[in-house]
Structure formats: structure tokens, C-alpha cells
């Protein structure tokens, strides 16, 4: 009896160091495939695993260092994302298999029940350590694909074919209409209170933002049923609608006959695109509509947005104030920063909105997007609608990289005191638009022959009611666009 007990104690003493060695080799194999195989004499399989691991690591490094722009373009293609999600899951399965097999090869032949249980638990934990990040990567890839297919339709939902070899069809500029929709629970329909045409140079990424105030009147309508109904300019939908530019979207949704052939939720964008195209005498290629309340969710998903506030801005319904200084605004605060009219005006508000968009564009870095991807994707799905086709996303990603990498973003706003919104000089608006897109940024005042009708975001305007204007916004007689980076507070 004594000899058998001594033998078991000796066996246990030999097994415990053997278990630790096995777990160490298993951990090493989880970090670098093939280590346990090589140590235990499985040299062919071990060499294959090690070679595969080195190749995968080298390929990832090369792609990240030298092909990052191309990877970003592939990352907005649903078919590629499906393949990547499947590849990540397959990689995870192989990795877990390597971990389990490494432990099987390295563990001692005889273990006590306690040691065997401890080894199994340790390997299970190690498998989870491998599986969790792999599953997270596959899940986020699926979320990205779902978000893209929810927001962007093939052909933009209108059947237009995209030439992937020349996505811009030889155009020197692509024009995207950026809309802020002011929908609310106590209001029927959508008012487009923010309307900006982003005109982007397809070679350099240099961008001009052409902003139209929501309260433009006598808006000329595009040829067809809408002009037949409003031959002398848009006058609204009867009593209670003054006939402002921000009503055109909902008017089209409520009156299908003015946009024949367009489906529900497409009628508004189509008529507004055509209307603004006529105002500026520029083609409007695509639109993006952001619901203002969904916009707050996007800012929260980013973790807030950094803004320098130069003057107190009333906030909320309880007399709160956004105080001056460098602030990180939460979603609702950012929404009020961009929309507050108290002691301000529509035009001051337009200036703040441009600075807010500029700040978000500069701060939406890859690390922020990656670490908060799930929340950003969910918020984006709720907030955004567009007719940009899926097939054009890689080209837009490439173009946005040029914009983010330092290309100039200029802003030109057609607002008082230079434009009288009740009786706008549309001919001058078109001339100034043509000059801005031609790159005419020198100088700061209108020529004597041109009645002043537009302005840049250089300084503050006098408000309609004569009040103060706590924002970067126009007041001078500038008719040339200026850089948002130069005019927004830093």
C-alpha cells in the first residue's frame, strides 16, 4: 500500500511540470502556429503551420502598409464584405483547431483528474481568447455589409448603371446635395431646413459647399409638371405654407403628379434636386438626407464632437446655455449648436452647421470608427437616406480620402444681407456659383457691376431681427468662397 501511494505521488509530481510545459507550448502555438508541433517532433505539419502563419502576418502587414486605400475601397463593397466575414470565421476555426491539437500533442500521457480538469479549463479559456476577437471581427464585418445594403441600393435604387472604370463619366466635378431633414413627432412630413450642394473636384478632392437658405421664395421650378403648376415660382400648398424652398421636398411627396414615375420617398429628393439644379445652374448628381434627430445619435456614437464655441448659445427648453470655450458636445448639444435660433438667425445657424460638419469630418478618424463601429452603424441606418449607388462607393471612398487628407473645403452662402430671400436675384446666384466652381477665391468683395447677393462664412451677419449672432457666419459683402478651416473657430 505504501509503495503504491508513493508511486502515485511521484507520478503526480512528474505530471504537474508536464502539464505546465504542455500549457506553455499550447500558449506559444496560439501566438505562433506550429510551435508545439515542432517541439513534439511533428516537423512537417509544424513547418506548414508556421509558414502559413508567417505568410498571413506578412500579407496583413503589406496590405496595411501599402494597399490601405484599396482596402478602404473594398471595405464598402458588400460582396467583398461577405467574403471577408466568411474568411474571418474560417481563420478563427483553424486557429482554435491549432490550439486544441497543440495541447493534445504536448500534454502528458497520464494526468490526475484535477490536473486534467485544470488543463481542459485553461485550453478552453485560451480558445475563447482566440474566438472572441475573431467573432467580433466577423460580426462587425456583417454589420458593415448590412448597413451598406440598407442605405445604398444597387444602381442607387433607380436602375442607373455605373461605369466602374470611369465612375465619374469624365466629369471634372461630382455634385452631392446634402440635406438636413427637420422631421418631428409633432409635425407631418419632412422640412429640408439645411440644403447644401457639395461640389467636389474628382481629381484633387477640393470642395466647394454652396448653401441655400431654407426661406428662399419665388423659387423657379424645373421644366415639366411642377413648372406648369408654378410658372412664376413655387408658392406652396395653400394656406399655412408660405412657399419656401424647404417645402419643396414634402410638396413632391404629397403630390405624386408633379414627379411622374417616381416612387414614394423618391419624389421629394428628385424634385428638390431638379429645383436646386435650376437655381444654381449646376447638375445635382446625388443627394444625402440626414434626419436631424438621427444626427444626434451619430454624434453620440462617435463619443461626441470637439467644437470651439465663441459666444453663449441657448440650449434646450429649460434656459440652458452652451458656454464659450473648447467643448466636446454630445449629440443633443451638437444638434442645438447647429439649430438654435435664439438671439440668432437662420443664416448664423447655417454657418454653425457648416463648422459642425467640418469638425465631424475631421474627427471621424479610423480609430473612432473602428472602436465605435456597431453604434455608428446602427445610428447611421436610422439617420441617412441617399440615392448614391453601391457601385459608386469605392470611388467616393477614394475621393473622401483626398478631401480628408487636407484638400481645401470652401463655403459660399447665399444669404442676407447680400441676398434678399423674399425676392432673390437668381441670376447673380448662378454667376457667383460659376465663379466659385471655377476656383475664383481671390479678393473679397463683389465687383461694382454685380449687385451683392451672396456671402462666405467669414464673419457674422446682422440678423433678421437685428439681434446678436453667436456663430461663424456671413456679414460682409464677400462673394468669393473661403475655407471652413480658416473661418471656423479653432
Amino acid at each position: 500500500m505504501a509503495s503504491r501511494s508513493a508511486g502515485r505521488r511521484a507520478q503526480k509530481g512528474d505530471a504537474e511540470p508536464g502539464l505546465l510545459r504542455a500549457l506553455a507550448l499550447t500558449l506559444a502555438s496560439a501566438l505562433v502556429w506550429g510551435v508545439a508541433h515542432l517541439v513534439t517532433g511533428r516537423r512537417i505539419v509544424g513547418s506548414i503551420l508556421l509558414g502559413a502563419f508567417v505568410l498571413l502576418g506578412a500579407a496583413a502587414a503589406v496590405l496595411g502598409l501599402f494597399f490601405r486605400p484599396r482596402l478602404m475601397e473594398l471595405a464598402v463593397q458588400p460582396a467583398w464584405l461577405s467574403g471577408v466575414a466568411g474568411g474571418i470565421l474560417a481563420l478563427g476555426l483553424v486557429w482554435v483547431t491549432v490550439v486544441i491539437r497543440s495541447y493534445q500533442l504536448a500534454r502528458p500521457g497520464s494526468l490526475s483528474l484535477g490536473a486534467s480538469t485544470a488543463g481542459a479549463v485553461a485550453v478552453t479559456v485560451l480558445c475563447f481568447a482566440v474566438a472572441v476577437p475573431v467573432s467580433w471581427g466577423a460580426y462587425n464585418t456583417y454589420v458593415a455589409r448590412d448597413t451598406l445594403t440598407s442605405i445604398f441600393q444597387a444602381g442607387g435604387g433607380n436602375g442607373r448603371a455605373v461605369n466602374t472604370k470611369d465612375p465619374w463619366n469624365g466629369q471634372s466635378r461630382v455634385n452631392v446635395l446634402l440635406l438636413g431633414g427637420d422631421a418631428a413627432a409633432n409635425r407631418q412630413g419632412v422640412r429640408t431646413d439645411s440644403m447644401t450642394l457639395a461640389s467636389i473636384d474628382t481629381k484633387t478632392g477640393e470642395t466647394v459647399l454652396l448653401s441655400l437658405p431654407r426661406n428662399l421664395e419665388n423659387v423657379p421650378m424645373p421644366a415639366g409638371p411642377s413648372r406648369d403648376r408654378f410658372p412664376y415660382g413655387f408658392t406652396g400648398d395653400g394656406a399655412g405654407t408660405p412657399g419656401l424652398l424647404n417645402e419643396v421636398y414634402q410638396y413632391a411627396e404629397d403630390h405624386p403628379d408633379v414627379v411622374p414615375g417616381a416612387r414614394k420617398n423618391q419624389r421629394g429628393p428628385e424634385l428638390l434636386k431638379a429645383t436646386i439644379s435650376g437655381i444654381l445652374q449646376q447638375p445635382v448628381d446625388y443627394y444625402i438626407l440626414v434626419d436631424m434627430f438621427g444626427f444626434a445619435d451619430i454624434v453620440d456614437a462617435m463619443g461626441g464632437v470637439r467644437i470651439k464655441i465663441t459666444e453663449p448659445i441657448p440650449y434646450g427648453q429649460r434656459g440652458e446655455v452652451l458656454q464659450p470655450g473648447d467643448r466636446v458636445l454630445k449629440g443633443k448639444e451638437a444638434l442645438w449648436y447647429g439649430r438654435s435660433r435664439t438671439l440668432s438667425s437662420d443664416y448664423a445657424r447655417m454657418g454653425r452647421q457648416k463648422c459642425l460638419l467640418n469638425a465631424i469630418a475631421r474627427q471621424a478618424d479610423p480609430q473612432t470608427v473602428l472602436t465605435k463601429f456597431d453604434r455608428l452603424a446602427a445610428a447611421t441606418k436610422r439617420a441617412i437616406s441617399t440615392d448614391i449607388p453601391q457601385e459608386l462607393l469605392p470611388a467616393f471612398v477614394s475621393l473622401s480620402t483626398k478631401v480628408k487628407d487636407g484638400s481645401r473645403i470652401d463655403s459660399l452662402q447665399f444669404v442676407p444681407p447680400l441676398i434678399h430671400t423674399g425676392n432673390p436675384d437668381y441670376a447673380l446666384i448662378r454667376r457667383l456659383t460659376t465663379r466659385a466652381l471655377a476656383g475664383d477665391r481671390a479678393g473679397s468683395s463683389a465687383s461694382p457691376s454685380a449687385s451683392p447677393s451672396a456671402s462666405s462664412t467669414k464673419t457674422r451677419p446682422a440678423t433678421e431681427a437685428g439681434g446678436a449672432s453667436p456663430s461663424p457666419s456671413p456679414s460682409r459683402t464677400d462673394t468669393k468662397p473661403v475655407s471652413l478651416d480658416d473661418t471656423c473657430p479653432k
Side-chain angles (χ1 to χ4, degrees):
M1 290 289 293
S3 62
R4 285 198 297 271
S5 298
R8 284 196 295 270
R9 286 195 297 269
Q11 185 180 43
K12 180 180 178 182
D14 292 339
E16 288 178 352
L19 175 61
L20 293 177
R21 175 178 178 273
L23 292 177
L25 288 174
T26 304
L27 176 60
S29 293
L31 298 175
V32 179
W33 295 355
V35 171
H37 288 74
L38 291 172
V39 171
T40 57
R42 276 75 172 180
R43 295 184 178 178
I44 294 178
V45 176
S47 298
I48 292 173
L49 289 173
L50 180 60
F53 185 82
V54 171
L55 285 175
L56 286 172
V62 169
L63 290 173
L65 289 173
F66 301 107
F67 296 95
R68 186 176 177 184
R70 179 58 177 158
L71 287 178
M72 293 177 65
E73 293 175 16
L74 295 178
V76 292
Q77 298 185 46
W80 274 93
L81 289 176
S82 296
V84 169
I88 291 174
L89 290 175
L91 177 63
L93 181 60
V94 171
W95 209 316
V96 169
T97 301
V98 168
V99 170
I100 294 173
R101 182 56 181 160
S102 297
Y103 178 68
Q104 290 174 341
L105 293 175
R107 71 182 174 183
S110 176
L111 289 174
S112 66
L113 179 60
S116 179
T117 301
V121 169
V123 172
T124 300
V125 170
L126 193 54
C127 287
F128 270 105
V130 170
V132 168
V134 167
S135 300
W136 178 83
Y139 170 73
N140 276 339
T141 304
Y142 170 78
V143 168
R145 183 191 182 282
D146 179 62
T147 302
L148 289 175
T149 55
S150 296
I151 297 174
F152 303 94
Q153 305 300 315
N158 53 22
R160 289 180 294 186
V162 174
N163 180 358
T164 54
K165 293 183 179 179
D166 181 14
W168 310 122
N169 294 319
Q171 296 173 223
S172 60
R173 309 191 72 90
V174 59
N175 297 330
V176 181
L177 181 59
L178 308 178
L179 304 173
D182 191 10
N186 61 350
R187 182 186 307 122
Q188 273 194 336
V190 175
R191 297 186 315 189
T192 54
D193 278 358
S194 176
M195 291 164 284
T196 298
L197 186 71
S199 184
I200 311 167
D201 189 297
T202 56
K203 295 190 182 299
T204 66
E206 289 197 351
T207 302
V208 178
L209 302 178
L210 302 164
S211 301
L212 294 165
R214 69 183 185 91
N215 55 342
L216 278 183
E217 298 183 34
N218 303 317
V219 176
M221 303 303 288
S226 60
R227 186 181 295 175
D228 294 340
R229 184 165 302 179
F230 301 105
Y232 305 109
F234 184 67
T235 55
D237 195 16
T241 58
L244 308 180
L245 179 60
N246 71 338
E247 300 169 20
V248 170
Y249 182 105
Q250 191 59 42
Y251 184 89
E253 289 295 329
D254 294 338
H255 299 82
D257 54 312
V258 299
V259 194
R263 299 194 300 270
K264 182 178 175 58
N265 297 325
Q266 288 186 353
R267 296 190 288 266
E270 287 302 315
L271 183 58
L272 188 56
K273 284 167 60 179
T275 301
I276 290 179
S277 175
I279 293 173
L280 300 176
Q281 287 292 287
Q282 296 294 323
V284 178
D285 300 301
Y286 306 101
Y287 83 94
I288 299 175
L289 172 65
V290 180
D291 173 74
M292 289 298 187
F293 294 94
F295 169 80
D297 293 335
I298 293 176
V299 172
D300 281 333
M302 285 179 59
V305 58
R306 295 185 302 277
I307 285 286
K308 183 171 184 178
I309 300 176
T310 57
E311 298 181 61
I313 297 176
Y315 160 53
Q317 305 289 346
R318 295 177 294 182
E320 299 167 282
V321 175
L322 296 175
Q323 296 293 348
D326 293 316
R327 301 284 305 278
V328 177
L329 302 183
K330 297 179 181 178
K332 288 184 179 179
E333 293 172 332
L335 188 61
W336 276 93
Y337 173 83
R339 300 180 69 242
S340 178
R341 292 194 187 102
T342 306
L343 301 177
S344 182
S345 70
D346 282 340
Y347 319 116
R349 185 174 64 152
M350 287 171 65
R352 290 197 303 270
Q353 288 170 359
K354 299 304 172 294
C355 290
L356 185 61
L357 290 174
N358 192 48
I360 290 173
R362 298 302 187 195
Q363 294 170 37
D365 56 88
Q367 181 179 353
T368 298
V369 173
L370 182 62
T371 56
K372 305 176 186 297
F373 186 78
D374 199 357
R375 290 186 63 197
L376 276 169
T380 301
K381 283 172 63 175
R382 293 192 300 269
I384 292 179
S385 58
T386 182
D387 63 349
I388 294 176
Q390 287 179 13
E391 298 87 346
L392 203 54
L393 289 177
F396 267 110
V397 166
S398 177
L399 195 57
S400 68
T401 301
K402 296 176 183 177
V403 175
K404 192 172 178 62
D405 285 348
S407 291
R408 185 180 174 105
I409 301 178
D410 289 338
S411 179
L412 179 61
Q413 298 190 139
F414 302 106
V415 299
L418 299 174
I419 281 286
H420 176 43
T421 56
N423 186 26
D425 186 345
Y426 288 109
L428 182 58
I429 288 176
R430 292 163 187 157
R431 291 199 299 273
L432 296 174
T433 296
T434 300
R435 283 170 46 184
L437 299 184
D440 186 2
R441 301 187 182 95
S444 62
S445 61
S447 63
S449 61
S451 60
S453 299
S455 72
S456 68
T457 58
K458 193 68 176 176
T459 54
R460 299 196 313 269
T463 67
E464 291 173 305
S469 173
S471 71
S473 217
S475 69
R476 338 177 339 169
T477 57
D478 291 6
T479 59
K480 310 278 180 80
V482 295
S483 171
L484 283 178
D485 285 335
D486 294 338
T487 57
C488 293
K490 296 183 178 63

